[in-house]
Amino acid sequence: MIRNDFKEHSRITVTWKDKEGKLRPGNFYVYALLKDAMIVRATDKDGLLRKLPYTDVLRVVKFKDVAPQDRYMIPDEILKESNWKDTDVMMRYSSSPHRGK
């Protein structure tokens, strides 16, 4: 898949390939689109931020835009491509919509 197939602040259900090459189902919140990958949070598993290369996504099963009031926010500094150059996974809490955080 390519960058134009995705959109920031959306929820996606995909079939993706993990590091061992196994196909996995995944539910993700897309925070940012980088040059060769996107920064996502797994909404159905560990909740870690991940750098998911576009080439590892084989199929988009479901796509849903997230309304501005329902978005999870992370500081832009965390989402910069330079911070993800040598990092694939990051533990980071995000603010929760409708919780005043």
Side-chain angles (χ1 to χ4, degrees):
M1 307 220 71
I2 59 172
R3 186 175 195 249
N4 294 339
D5 295 330
F6 303 97
K7 185 177 177 185
E8 291 182 353
H9 297 292
S10 61
R11 292 184 184 270
I12 57 174
T13 301
V14 298
T15 301
W16 65 290
K17 185 172 47 173
D18 67 10
K19 288 189 178 192
E20 291 90 39
K22 293 182 181 179
L23 299 181
R24 305 273 185 196
N27 293 307
F28 298 106
Y29 182 94
V30 179
Y31 282 101
L33 302 177
L34 306 178
K35 184 179 176 184
D36 297 322
M38 57 185 149
I39 306 303
V40 300
R41 180 183 301 278
T43 59
D44 60 346
K45 297 200 188 301
D46 53 19
L48 297 174
L49 287 179
R50 300 179 187 281
K51 180 169 71 173
L52 181 61
Y54 302 120
T55 56
D56 286 355
V57 178
L58 304 177
R59 181 174 155 215
V60 176
V61 177
K62 187 175 172 185
F63 176 90
K64 182 180 178 187
D65 283 323
V66 176
Q69 69 270 15
D70 295 329
R71 292 180 178 171
Y72 289 91
M73 304 307 287
I74 288 184
D76 291 336
E77 196 64 33
I78 299 294
L79 301 174
K80 284 188 177 178
E81 193 158 1
S82 59
N83 290 332
W84 289 90
K85 186 175 183 181
D86 299 323
T87 305
D88 290 331
V89 177
M90 183 185 296
M91 183 177 285
R92 175 74 187 176
Y93 294 103
S94 63
S95 64
S96 175
H98 309 298
R99 300 287 182 204
K101 296 182 181 178

